[in-house]
Amino acid sequence: MNIARRSFLAFLIGGAAGTALSPLPWKLTDDLSIWTQTWPWTPVPPDGEYSYVNSVCTLCPGGCGITVRKVDNRAVKIEGMAGHPVNDGGICILGASGLQLLYGPRRVKAPMRRVGERGEGKWETISWDEAIAAAAEKLEGIRSAGNPQGVACMVGDRYGTVPSLFERFMTAYGSPNFMSDAAIEDSYRITLNLMHGKNAIPGFDAGNADFVVSFGSGVIEGWGSPVRMFLAHGKWKDENKTLVQVEPRLSNTAAKADKWVAVQPGTEAVLALSMAYVIIKENLYDKSFVAENAAAFEDWRDDEGKTYPGFKTFVLNGFSPADASKVTGVDPSLIVSLARSFAGAEKPLALCGRGKGNTPGSLHEFMAVHALNGLVGAINRPGGVWAIDVPDYVTWPKPGLDEAARAGLEKPRVDGADGGAYPYTESIISGFADGVNSGSAGYGVEALLVSGANPLYTLRDAQAVRKAFDSIGFVVSFSSYMDETAAQADLILPNHTYLERRQDVPAPFGLNMPVIGMSRPVVPPQFDTRQVGDSLMGIARKMGGSVGDAFGWESYEACLKETMGAAWETLEKDGILVKADYAPEGWGEAFNTPSKKFQFFTGAYRHGENKDLMSQMKIEGEAADFPLILIPYDSMRLASGPVADTPFMAKTIEEDVLIHDDVYVQVNPATAASLNLREGKVAELTTPVGKARVRVHLSEGIGEGVIALPTGLGHWANSKYIAGKGVNVNRLMSPVADPVSGLDAAWGIRAKLARA
Amino acid sequence: MKKAQEHTAPKKYGMVIDLDKCTGCGACMAACMAENNVPFREDETDKNLSITWLRVYKLTNGKKFPNADVCYLPRPCMHCEGHHGHSPCVSVCPATATDYSYDTGIVSQIYTRCFGCRYCMAACPYHVRYFNWWDPVWPEGMEKMLSPNVSVRTRGVVEKCSFCFHRYQIAMEKVRYEGRAELAEDEYQTACTQACPANAITFGDLNNHDHAVYKLKTHPDAFRLLERLGTNPKVYYISSREWVRRQGDNYLENEGKVVAKAH
């Protein structure tokens, strides 16, 4: 057959036209679109009966009330609980996405024992009996070998029944090495101890303040109870109140503040004391408070008759705005006007603790800022700082101790938080790694129990922490999730998540009234997990003897019920116990110091003798080798505590924070130009303790010579939605022990940046 | 016909967002994702592909340290009314997958009608629309948190903010069941409004004198995005900062001070 070119083309064109005119292509397109929308693997969420369960969120120390929407037995959404005293219906990004932790891919589904190398990720699932027996046997072995002090324990929160059970276990077992995660709350507690003479936690009546000076506190970035601070911030805007943010970097708080005071990093205390200078010099302080309720304002004498300069002398001798300006970089006239506005306000309030408050910070700084509050009388009054008694409802009789326990408890602590060097500090989690690695306590650490904490991620100088972990023979994790610490453990006894367990949630941080919350099971346990209190009691009972005897309760819930006593019913019904008519103690009764007054100075912290106060708290590294200063910064969208970002949160990480797996370091354009770095360029960031690959982001929100990295990135265990992205800034930083508290006070580290 | 059945005056649901209060915390974004079964992928750093019905933008004033300033701007769907319901996306949709409701003022998106031509995405000046380039995948077990109130989307369709229309439907069912004529202001609120810990978002009927948004939209500092395009959006913003208001539209440098006008 001979097909002519002409007839072939005619056939093609005719065919095409015919097909186009027929319904065929349209039908096919339609079918295709229908077919591609009915993939059988697209889930169709089943409908069912709707219900709501109220509980308390425990993902941070904020203690917000939550209402969980359920469809049959599935929890489908977490919302803020309306009318709750902490958050009144609001919720933060982590709380709102909490179901992604409950139903997340990194849950530990049953007790597991490591079978491969540490961190290799090879596990065998074992029964609860086996798991409890394995832990008990190992701990019993260490104890009978005469080294009970060689077992250490780290918990997340300090108060409540679960941390108290761990503390009790350590006491009965015979180890002094009980530690809790440290934060600004610890520094505030020591501040109140020294200046008020009270064992108290701070409450901030922030919503009622009218002139707030925040020394680096991330008021809208997770400081305190985050949602409560958001609400206070909104109230300030509505009522035209003033927020002044003192911070080296343009944080969100600084951007939202009425005035951003860009201070040299680490010199916030100097600025606070210089404000005090102006207030004292110009006679603007609260005369009645200072004269009648405060001590050591004027020169004072200690018990031995030695005279010390009072706060007034100390401040007037060294903190004139002109002098302070040289250190802080803040214009003297601004310091003067700031001080005048602060003292002139009706309800001024000064806050401190950087960012979210995850690093305890320098005690000197806390006391300087608290002294500012004292000067204007913003103590235990509306709009001020209130000293709230620490939760004291756990009133169990002391456990009986056998010979081994008594001997163990006599031994020095590994973290250095002993009577001698740091008499005001209960535990120093940041000092643990050093203690283990140097063997300073005189004995080895053989086992470590970790509950509610993720030290391998959150502790600074990660290499040292890792080294310490590697030297500890037996690590038990009670984590619900496969976090960094659980991944390095030998045995995991998974806890229920906060949505599956009943537990008391005492004292939301920063709330100015005593509150106890109660989280309750919103859904039944999804996996073969167990409330950590029951796991711990199981281990103790298995060990028997005086350790077992210390835990006479039938179960954790029985213990909780007995501990709560009369409050149990209210907690069961409302999920919260509030002292609604709570009022702070008046100035006459509020102080329990030796003078029964507010102590501007105390013998414990003789500011006048410390010659370095005008300089900043020293951070690691020398300027010659590391010309830049690296500071970490916090963001609500990046969870930086023991729990990592959820997939929803990871979606909201901004484009100037993360690109694919690279984190952006914020650099001032002038600094970048001097280093020959441009926007988006890959660079190597080096500090005295580590180096990392980063990308450069030019930012006018940061001064020359200072660079900033976000916290909360650089997870390596955890789900693929957050692991492997960016750099863990804790790996690049090194803790600096505060001279009085021993707690980590590092606000940054020396660094250098070079083209990669 | 429909109106006669419902016996209610037409509503015009809208939002007023106070940018002075917005902290950029992102709670609204997470609440929106959880409410509306929004999918997620391993790498979400390419924001053009990252499905966020409500996206919080970061604005900067372009000044040098220490005069730099930042403001966050949450951007849901603007639910443009255009002129008599001719919103940009509705006008171009060949499948009637997106429509303007005269009863509520809400611009709908019906996934089963959408065949993914993405004309609407090109037409929308606010980039509120996102295309599902991939099938959504939930890690094993996480499909348990999917809400039955909102259809799970598939590959090949466009999605966007619906002002939580399912919440309106649920609230209206209750109203009808109880034989009432009107929905109270607090009976229908979007997930982002409810979640906002800063109380920066106010939602309600812009036509209703008793709703908070009615008064707020006439705030002297209120403005809308790209006002001059004539899209007639129903999301208003309030900012006391002039540089923020200026970024709300494409103003020329010599255009003088941007004064928000009462609407």
Side-chain angles (χ1 to χ4, degrees):
Chain A
M1 202 170 102
N2 187 15
I3 302 170
R5 182 182 133 89
R6 181 184 267 269
S7 57
F8 175 71
L9 283 176
F11 173 76
L12 275 191
I13 293 165
T19 312
L21 285 172
S22 82
L24 189 69
W26 316 110
K27 178 65 186 151
L28 279 178
T29 311
D30 190 38
D31 282 354
L32 191 70
S33 71
I34 290 168
W35 179 63
T36 55
Q37 290 181 31
T38 51
W39 301 121
W41 53 82
T42 302
V44 180
D47 211 345
E49 196 182 330
Y50 290 66
S51 59
Y52 294 85
V53 182
N54 289 338
S55 187
V56 179
C57 182
T58 66
L59 294 176
C60 88
C64 287
I66 52 172
T67 300
V68 184
R69 191 199 309 162
K70 288 176 69 182
V71 176
D72 286 343
N73 237 344
R74 301 188 294 124
V76 298
K77 175 118 187 275
I78 300 178
E79 289 164 354
M81 183 175 154
H84 194 277
V86 174
N87 57 318
D88 190 20
I91 192 154
C92 80
I93 185 166
L94 178 60
S97 54
L99 293 179
Q100 295 193 318
L101 297 169
L102 171 70
Y103 296 128
R106 295 296 276 176
R107 285 289 305 270
V108 179
K109 297 175 181 168
M112 298 205 292
R113 180 160 45 201
R114 173 173 70 82
V115 287
E117 290 297 305
R118 261 219 189 135
E120 200 186 349
K122 285 191 183 157
W123 302 91
E124 66 170 341
T125 300
I126 53 178
S127 75
W128 272 103
D129 286 345
E130 282 176 280
I132 299 273
E137 192 184 315
K138 189 82 192 177
L139 294 176
E140 186 56 58
I142 295 171
R143 194 170 137 90
S144 49
N147 193 26
Q149 64 275 10
V151 175
C153 171
M154 291 178 177
V155 296
D157 301 320
R158 176 67 191 86
Y159 299 114
T161 52
V162 167
S164 301
L165 283 172
F166 273 100
E167 194 178 14
R168 186 175 183 83
F169 179 84
M170 295 302 281
T171 306
Y173 182 86
S175 168
N177 293 307
F178 173 74
M179 291 163 281
S180 61
D181 249 350
I184 55 167
E185 194 174 341
D186 300 79
S187 296
Y188 261 117
R189 217 161 57 219
I190 298 173
T191 303
L192 293 177
N193 185 355
L194 296 178
M195 298 174 92
H196 292 216
K198 289 260 175 176
N199 185 17
I201 51 177
F204 304 91
D205 190 15
N208 291 319
D210 65 359
F211 192 96
V212 181
V213 182
S214 146
F215 291 86
S217 304
V219 170
I220 53 163
E221 280 146 316
W223 185 92
S225 183
V227 174
R228 181 169 176 265
M229 294 310 293
F230 286 132
L231 290 171
H233 175 261
K235 197 162 173 250
W236 298 336
K237 294 281 175 199
D238 278 339
E239 298 173 0
N240 284 321
K241 304 294 164 63
T242 308
L243 168 65
V244 178
Q245 182 72 1
V246 178
E247 194 172 358
R249 181 185 154 270
L250 179 67
S251 64
N252 287 358
T253 308
K256 274 285 165 283
D258 300 275
K259 175 80 194 162
W260 168 36
V261 180
V263 69
Q264 278 297 315
T267 65
E268 287 86 344
V270 177
L271 185 69
L273 291 171
S274 190
M275 283 173 68
Y277 175 101
V278 177
I279 292 171
I280 295 172
K281 193 88 177 170
E282 300 188 0
N283 255 325
L284 303 172
Y285 56 91
D286 186 323
K287 312 271 176 339
S288 96
F289 179 78
V290 170
E292 287 157 33
N293 304 99
F297 181 71
E298 304 291 345
D299 296 352
W300 58 290
R301 202 175 289 199
D302 70 5
D303 299 343
E304 291 148 19
K306 194 176 165 197
T307 310
Y308 294 96
F311 185 67
K312 184 174 160 187
T313 311
F314 165 70
V315 166
L316 294 186
N317 277 348
F319 292 92
S320 71
D323 288 344
S325 175
K326 286 179 210 140
V327 182
T328 60
V330 179
D331 196 72
S333 63
L334 179 58
I335 300 179
V336 173
S337 73
L338 197 56
R340 286 179 187 158
S341 310
F342 182 75
E346 204 175 312
K347 289 171 190 161
L349 174 65
L351 307 173
C352 73
R354 285 181 183 76
K356 286 181 184 171
N358 289 341
T359 306
S362 142
L363 199 64
H364 167 56
E365 190 176 305
F366 277 74
M367 291 180 69
V369 172
H370 199 55
L372 259 189
N373 285 320
L375 273 184
V376 294
I379 306 288
N380 283 17
R381 73 165 187 205
V385 183
W386 301 9
I388 312 284
D389 288 337
V390 298
D392 55 358
Y393 59 86
V394 177
T395 50
W396 308 325
K398 285 203 163 23
L401 304 179
D402 61 6
E403 200 49 50
R406 269 195 292 273
L409 288 170
E410 289 291 306
K411 296 285 193 299
R413 291 178 63 99
V414 170
D415 63 3
D418 278 301
Y422 306 116
Y424 306 98
T425 315
E426 291 180 327
S427 70
I428 306 173
I429 198 164
S430 53
F432 177 71
D434 239 15
V436 172
N437 294 337
S438 66
S440 57
Y443 57 85
V445 175
E446 294 183 60
L448 175 67
L449 314 177
V450 185
S451 167
N454 186 6
L456 273 175
Y457 178 80
T458 58
L459 289 184
R460 284 168 174 174
D461 197 356
Q463 272 170 305
V465 180
R466 181 62 192 271
K467 192 175 159 213
F469 261 70
D470 288 346
S471 74
I472 300 172
F474 185 59
V475 177
V476 183
S477 164
F478 294 90
S479 180
S480 307
Y481 320 102
M482 190 57 89
D483 56 30
E484 283 72 18
T485 307
Q488 287 290 327
D490 302 289
L491 187 67
I492 311 178
L493 276 63
N495 192 2
H496 299 322
T497 64
Y498 73 110
L499 297 166
E500 299 162 315
R501 68 176 182 241
R502 196 177 307 275
Q503 192 172 319
D504 51 321
V505 189
F509 177 59
L511 196 65
N512 56 329
M513 57 174 137
V515 160
I516 307 169
M518 177 76 82
S519 73
R520 64 181 100 194
V522 169
V523 290
Q526 302 291 303
F527 302 106
D528 187 14
T529 55
R530 199 175 271 193
Q531 158 55 268
V532 62
D534 282 320
S535 304
L536 187 67
M537 286 188 202
I539 295 171
R541 262 190 234 110
K542 186 87 186 168
M543 288 178 66
S546 60
V547 181
D549 292 344
F551 298 87
W553 301 281
E554 193 181 306
S555 65
Y556 170 71
E557 196 158 321
C559 161
L560 185 60
K561 202 167 172 176
E562 185 195 302
T563 309
M564 290 303 161
W568 175 260
E569 255 176 64
T570 314
L571 283 168
E572 265 296 279
K573 190 161 65 68
D574 304 337
I576 186 166
L577 188 71
V578 190
K579 255 192 206 162
D581 56 347
Y582 179 78
E585 291 164 310
W587 288 347
E589 320 60 270
F591 308 109
N592 200 27
T593 52
S595 61
K596 303 288 175 205
K597 288 177 176 177
F598 178 89
Q599 291 279 152
F600 274 103
F601 273 171
T602 73
Y605 207 107
R606 294 173 177 125
H607 296 58
E609 292 179 357
N610 190 339
K611 299 282 186 288
D612 293 335
L613 288 178
M614 280 297 276
S615 65
Q616 52 205 24
M617 179 98 200
K618 183 107 174 61
I619 51 170
E620 191 167 336
E622 296 304 325
D625 306 327
F626 299 97
L628 305 175
I629 290 173
L630 168 68
I631 54 173
Y633 72 90
D634 291 336
S635 153
M636 280 305 290
R637 301 190 198 174
L638 280 164
S640 45
V643 169
D645 256 17
T646 60
F648 281 159
M649 287 172 82
K651 264 189 102 149
T652 70
I653 300 173
E654 291 151 296
E655 60 270 41
D656 61 358
V657 173
L658 187 74
I659 180 73
H660 304 304
D661 289 344
D662 286 334
V663 63
Y664 284 109
V665 60
Q666 293 186 346
V667 187
N668 184 283
T671 308
S674 73
L675 297 167
N676 198 17
L677 289 165
R678 281 190 296 278
E679 175 70 33
K681 283 276 174 245
V682 175
E684 188 177 66
L685 173 57
T686 315
T687 71
V689 293
K691 59 176 71 174
R693 173 196 153 103
V694 294
R695 280 182 191 270
V696 171
H697 175 59
L698 304 184
S699 168
E700 292 289 358
I702 196 156
E704 286 183 45
V706 185
I707 57 175
L709 270 185
T711 57
L713 287 170
H715 281 273
W716 57 95
N718 233 296
S719 79
K720 64 178 180 180
Y721 302 98
I722 189 67
K725 296 178 196 290
V727 175
N728 178 10
V729 71
N730 296 323
R731 184 167 74 74
L732 299 174
M733 287 189 62
S734 177
V736 175
D738 177 82
V740 174
S741 72
L743 296 167
D744 184 11
W747 45 268
I749 191 163
R750 285 266 160 199
K752 64 183 174 187
L753 198 59
R755 272 180 105 131
Chain B
M1 263 317 275
K2 220 175 164 216
K3 267 182 211 164
Q5 275 171 1
E6 293 197 356
H7 305 294
T8 52
K11 306 201 175 47
K12 213 166 90 172
Y13 282 104
M15 209 172 252
V16 183
I17 305 179
D18 189 335
L19 301 183
D20 293 336
K21 284 188 189 170
C22 172
T23 64
C25 73
C28 53
M29 298 164 87
C32 170
M33 293 176 203
E35 179 78 24
N36 292 297
N37 299 336
V38 175
F40 48 85
R41 292 183 308 122
E42 191 176 331
D43 186 345
E44 292 274 5
T45 58
D46 183 343
K47 298 302 176 189
N48 289 329
L49 299 176
S50 178
I51 301 178
T52 37
W53 289 16
L54 177 65
R55 180 169 170 201
V56 179
Y57 284 87
K58 187 197 250 173
L59 315 179
T60 47
N61 69 348
K63 291 200 178 157
K64 293 226 175 294
F65 180 89
N67 297 311
D69 199 359
V70 162
C71 184
Y72 287 89
L73 184 139
R75 185 242 48 208
C77 172
M78 301 286 136
H79 294 272
C80 307
E81 189 178 4
H83 297 290
H84 311 291
H86 289 285
S87 30
C89 54
V90 171
S91 310
V92 299
C93 180
T96 333
T98 184
D99 201 7
Y100 184 87
S101 158
Y102 293 94
D103 291 332
T104 58
I106 291 174
V107 176
S108 62
Q109 179 72 19
I110 299 167
Y111 312 117
T112 43
R113 284 191 194 163
C114 173
F115 52 63
C117 70
R118 293 179 280 132
Y119 282 175
C120 57
M121 290 173 67
C124 175
Y126 303 104
H127 299 288
V128 311
R129 295 175 159 274
Y130 294 90
F131 184 65
N132 283 275
W133 287 98
W134 300 272
D135 256 318
V137 179
W138 282 270
E140 195 193 335
M142 221 190 270
E143 72 286 342
K144 280 189 189 160
M145 64 179 281
L146 293 175
S147 160
N149 299 134
V150 181
S151 330
V152 173
R153 282 76 63 189
T154 58
R155 184 170 75 192
V157 302
V158 169
E159 62 181 84
K160 69 155 192 85
C161 156
S162 67
F163 268 175
C164 290
F165 184 67
H166 59 282
R167 289 189 169 210
Y168 173 78
Q169 289 174 307
I170 293 169
M172 279 307 285
E173 267 177 33
K174 191 165 170 248
V175 165
R176 290 197 196 98
Y177 179 76
E178 292 173 2
R180 283 182 287 148
E182 289 289 348
L183 199 56
E185 187 178 9
D186 62 353
E187 280 183 299
Y188 168 40
Q189 290 290 319
T190 61
C192 52
T193 312
Q194 181 193 23
C196 179
N199 286 336
I201 310 179
T202 313
F203 180 79
D205 181 2
L206 297 167
N207 282 344
N208 191 329
H209 299 236
D210 300 330
H211 284 200
V213 287
Y214 186 83
K215 186 150 177 277
L216 278 174
K217 70 178 172 160
T218 61
H219 190 283
D221 288 336
F223 66 101
R224 296 186 287 180
L225 295 182
L226 304 175
E227 183 103 44
R228 299 190 288 194
L229 279 183
T231 52
N232 199 4
K234 283 200 285 294
V235 177
Y236 293 77
Y237 294 92
I238 295 175
S239 175
S240 59
R241 301 180 191 204
E242 206 256 340
W243 70 266
V244 174
R245 299 198 295 270
R246 186 172 270 273
Q247 289 193 17
D249 211 333
N250 296 308
Y251 294 100
L252 298 172
E253 259 183 43
N254 56 3
E255 239 179 301
K257 203 169 171 169
V258 176
V259 218
K261 44 181 181 270
H263 312 287

